[in-house]
Amino acid sequence: MNTPSSLTALQVMQDAPVIPVIVLNDVAHAVPLAHALLAGGIRMLEVTLRTPQALACIEAIAREVPEAVVGAGTVRSRADAQAAARAGARFAVSPGYTCAIGQACRDAGLALLPGVATGSEIMMAQEDGFTELKFFPAVQAGGVAMLKAWSGPFFDVKFCPTGGITLQNAPDFLALPNVVCVGGSWLVPGNVAEQGDWGRVTRLANETRVLHRQLFGG
Ligand code: 3PG
């Protein structure tokens, strides 16, 4: 059984400007991919539960790459949360929010970044004690303008916009005071894993250092 994690959602968000959203079809790709991202300075890894191999990939990274912090994305049910925790995930990301998913992640000892796209969803998540949220799908649901509008009534909420984010538009999001980091699949494009092009993954991860400088200077 997984040891309950003391990791918080804020710690997950503050580690790097980008959380990579990862889809893996082959467990053999999991460890080399984690190493490639680490080499580019990224260690919070969101492996989405979208393929039959996803849990085995999480397990492999948790076991073999202790420098990485692996989480499960696309967590949509209590069973997903339990399976992710058993596989060794330290955090969970969900595409939407329900009280059940919030409770399931608490029970499983997983820090949760719940997905929201409306004011009502933000209020539901806040009622349950979640104040660090994923804005999904960010660009499609209103982007920077939406986050600016939310900064009034939801002045105490921090966001990780995900969906439609690129290296090019990430600076506009990261410049907002209510944005801590962004999420995106661009660091692990299409069939890069099938091609074994780990150098490309490291280069893409390295490119995000420019975003780090924007946030923290240096
Ligand atoms: C997702 O869950 O698919 C993420 O939001 C990734 O979106 P992106 O592919 O637009 O980065």
Side-chain angles (χ1 to χ4, degrees):
M1 201 50 201
N2 187 54
T3 311
S5 147
S6 57
L7 193 67
T8 66
L10 190 61
Q11 288 170 329
V12 173
M13 290 166 90
Q14 283 176 330
D15 204 64
V18 185
I19 299 174
V21 177
I22 300 165
V23 180
L24 282 167
N25 292 299
D26 187 338
V27 70
H29 297 152
V31 169
L33 176 70
H35 283 303
L37 288 163
L38 278 172
I42 294 191
R43 64 178 190 141
M44 290 287 164
L45 314 181
E46 177 190 335
V47 177
T48 56
L49 302 184
R50 295 184 197 179
T51 64
Q53 300 79 13
L55 287 167
C57 291
I58 291 172
E59 209 172 291
I61 296 171
R63 188 178 58 239
E64 293 178 41
V65 195
E67 319 90 279
V69 181
V70 64
T74 321
V75 171
R76 298 181 303 169
S77 65
R78 170 169 284 277
D80 283 348
Q82 289 168 339
R86 271 198 305 273
R90 305 272 314 277
F91 66 92
V93 184
S94 59
Y97 184 71
T98 63
C99 298
I101 204 75
Q103 193 55 51
C105 288
R106 283 215 168 95
D107 293 346
L110 290 171
L112 172 66
L113 264 180
V116 296
T118 68
S120 302
E121 290 160 6
I122 295 171
M123 288 163 64
M124 278 204 307
Q126 265 197 302
E127 261 177 18
D128 292 347
F130 296 96
T131 52
E132 286 85 30
L133 309 176
K134 161 174 158 164
F135 174 27
F136 176 78
V139 168
Q140 298 86 337
V144 164
M146 189 75 145
L147 285 157
K148 282 186 178 163
W150 279 343
S151 69
F154 303 117
F155 56 87
D156 48 356
V157 176
K158 299 288 184 204
F159 294 95
C160 169
T162 307
I165 310 292
T166 63
L167 184 67
Q168 287 67 40
N169 66 13
D172 300 335
F173 286 92
L174 291 167
L176 301 173
N178 57 348
V179 170
V180 179
C181 69
V182 299
S185 63
W186 87 87
L187 297 182
V188 188
N191 51 3
V192 74
E194 276 68 24
Q195 293 166 344
D197 194 353
W198 308 122
R200 182 166 175 218
V201 173
T202 299
R203 278 195 301 282
L204 289 166
N206 264 321
E207 281 177 5
T208 67
R209 292 182 198 268
V210 65
L211 304 174
H212 196 274
R213 282 194 287 279
Q214 177 193 344
L215 280 178
F216 307 112

